[in-house]
Amino acid sequence: MRELPPTAGLPLHLGDLRPGRASFAERMAEWLGVAQLQLECSGTAAMVVALHAMHRLRPRRDEVVVPAWTCPLVALAIHRAGLKPVLCDLAPNHFDMDPGQLDSLCGGRTLAIVPTHLAGRVADVDAALAAAQRAGAYVLEDAAQALGAEQDGHSVGLRGDAGFFSLAVGKGLTLFEGGLLLARDAALREAFAASHEALVRRDARMDWQRALELAGYALAYRPSLLPLVYGRPLRKALAAGDPVAAVGDDFGPDIPLHTVSGWRQAVGARALPRLRPFLDATRTQAWHRVARLRELPGVTVFDDAPDQRGTWPFLLLTLPDADARDRAMSVLWTAGLGVSRLFIHALPDYTYLRGIVPDTPLPRARDFAGRSLTITNSPWLGDAAFESIHRVLRQSLL
Ligand SMILES: *Cc1c(COP(=O)(O)O)cnc(C)c1O
């Protein structure tokens, strides 16, 4: 029995786990070609620290505009920072926010707009910048799924005022959990550092827990062991009729805020030289497969504009309607081939977000949630297995 992961994570080598210490943020800043990075214990924590800092600089503003179809942790981070999420519906058949609606949602209470680089694709930051300039708001790029993605030869995260990456399992290079925060201007960088001082403490128990979890990842992240740690809980959740748990989106309100141990940083620093060749190989693999999927009528596959060079953890696609998507998933979700869904719902449809996000009409976000699916871009998905996925998709379009 083999099971493929739903995203292309960079596998760790056992040698990465030897004792040592490193400054991961410094190495990573050099790798990305940016002036400075701030390490936090998760992408969510990075977002809390960033919003806390922005709110201290502009205290009369308390709203944060996000796409209505995004990671539920984004809403929890905004709530944790004492702010209110404002949901923007999507552009037609796209994961980006609708620019017209974005404009109408922004005003004197808007603290920040969060364009979101999903699936390694580069989001429309310029539309967010235009709306932010009119409203006097910040632009905070959610690049949780896009570490290594570039536009015009520069890393994502700095076209706006600030941005963050996630180092969680499943998002590429991982410390099991981690986040990186970057800002364009020194003033905002200093404010982020001050927020870190105010909010983040060392936690010896979390250091041990995450160290064990990271070692567990190094051991179990391989097709022979993923049936145990990924496939079994997935099938159990689906059998129980709980797709939110199946994709791991069943988050609690607790957001840990603590430092990242020097050892975990060293593990990440040792894996880092392998990231560029890994991203190049997965990009080449993705190009062929995107072209192949484009042959399917009514299927949209997201890729890069000529000035963009994204990363390819998985392929994000929409099918023409929800029935076709559900027909495909009924075969593929439990086939062990790394086919999955990204976010199950538009944000108001997660029961645990009631009272945190407003319940507004979001026809396009709900439509996108109903028609989208993802195909892993792990190098472990061979051409024959990819073709079997292609066949199921073609059959489900009838
Ligand atoms: C995963 C994710 C986050 C949160 O990052 P964590 O490191 O898991 O806390 C935020 N936004 C998006 C789009 C994500 O996919």
Side-chain angles (χ1 to χ4, degrees):
M1 180 63 198
R2 264 164 64 94
E3 175 96 36
L4 301 183
T7 66
L10 178 71
L12 290 179
H13 295 171
L14 292 182
D16 298 337
L17 302 179
R18 67 188 185 275
R21 302 175 68 79
S23 172
F24 181 72
E26 268 173 43
R27 305 277 185 89
M28 201 66 216
E30 204 175 304
W31 187 88
L32 277 174
V34 300
Q36 195 254 355
L37 287 169
Q38 182 167 314
L39 181 64
E40 300 294 349
C41 66
S42 68
T44 310
M47 193 172 181
V48 171
V49 168
L51 290 175
H52 180 266
M54 289 171 172
H55 191 44
R56 289 185 71 163
L57 291 167
R58 297 184 188 167
R60 287 215 290 270
R61 294 168 176 264
D62 64 349
E63 293 182 349
V64 181
V65 182
V66 300
W69 191 71
T70 188
C71 180
L73 288 168
V74 165
L76 294 173
I78 295 167
H79 185 68
R80 168 68 195 258
L83 303 166
K84 295 186 181 65
V86 171
L87 307 185
C88 185
D89 206 358
L90 305 183
N93 196 35
H94 206 283
F95 61 85
D96 262 329
M97 292 180 275
D98 180 76
Q101 189 172 126
L102 179 59
D103 241 350
S104 69
L105 289 171
C106 293
R109 286 182 66 179
T110 309
L111 178 67
I113 303 171
V114 185
T116 303
H117 305 288
L118 287 182
R121 310 279 52 77
V122 178
D124 186 356
V125 178
D126 290 343
L129 277 171
Q133 261 149 25
R134 276 191 285 274
Y138 291 107
V139 170
L140 175 62
E141 296 180 41
D142 179 343
Q145 301 187 0
L147 176 64
E150 296 178 353
Q151 181 159 21
D152 298 325
H154 300 288
S155 168
V156 295
L158 290 178
R159 202 176 181 92
D161 299 285
F164 65 93
F165 300 105
S166 168
L167 306 165
V169 167
K171 311 231 179 161
L173 175 62
T174 187
L175 309 181
F176 197 81
E177 291 276 12
L180 290 166
L181 196 50
L182 72 171
R184 203 175 45 208
D185 296 333
L188 212 44
R189 287 205 283 272
E190 280 162 28
F192 287 173
S195 277
H196 180 95
E197 284 305 308
L199 297 175
V200 180
R201 297 281 170 274
R202 174 150 190 262
D203 181 334
R205 205 187 63 83
M206 287 307 296
D207 282 352
W208 275 105
Q209 181 182 324
R210 294 291 187 240
L212 291 170
E213 288 169 329
L214 185 59
Y217 169 83
L219 292 171
Y221 194 72
R222 56 195 78 223
S224 58
L225 288 176
L226 281 167
L228 209 65
V229 296
Y230 170 66
R232 200 172 56 168
L234 167 74
R235 283 173 185 76
K236 225 173 114 182
L238 287 177
D242 188 350
V244 173
V247 299
D249 269 357
D250 45 347
F251 302 111
D254 178 41
I255 298 173
L257 292 174
H258 55 83
T259 55
V260 175
S261 73
W263 178 72
R264 272 203 295 144
Q265 296 189 47
V267 174
R270 289 177 191 130
L272 182 56
R274 301 197 299 275
L275 184 57
R276 182 65 64 201
F278 184 79
L279 292 179
D280 290 343
T282 48
R283 179 177 298 113
T284 305
Q285 172 169 281
W287 280 342
H288 290 104
R289 294 181 178 179
V290 167
R292 189 86 180 89
L293 290 165
R294 287 251 160 89
E295 296 165 10
L296 296 168
V299 171
T300 300
V301 194
F302 293 90
D303 75 347
D304 292 340
D307 59 337
Q308 302 170 342
R309 201 179 68 144
T311 59
W312 294 91
F314 52 88
L315 311 183
L316 173 63
L317 40 151
T318 57
L319 270 54
D321 57 72
D323 286 342
R325 198 282 306 272
D326 290 342
R327 275 196 296 276
M329 291 310 286
S330 70
V331 178
L332 292 172
W333 213 343
T334 52
L337 296 173
V339 177
S340 186
R341 283 165 60 184
L342 189 47
F343 312 119
I344 300 298
H345 298 304
L347 290 180
D349 299 333
Y350 292 91
T351 46
Y352 61 87
L353 289 183
R354 288 215 186 111
I356 292 180
V357 300
D359 189 7
T360 45
L362 299 159
R364 291 188 191 140
R366 289 185 164 116
D367 173 61
F368 203 96
R371 291 192 292 117
S372 52
L373 62 84
T374 61
I375 302 173
T376 188
N377 193 36
S378 164
W380 290 321
L381 179 68
D383 288 336
F386 173 77
E387 283 305 318
S388 72
I389 294 171
H390 191 275
R391 228 169 4 253
V392 173
L393 290 175
R394 201 178 51 222
Q395 284 158 3
S396 65
L397 293 173
L398 300 175

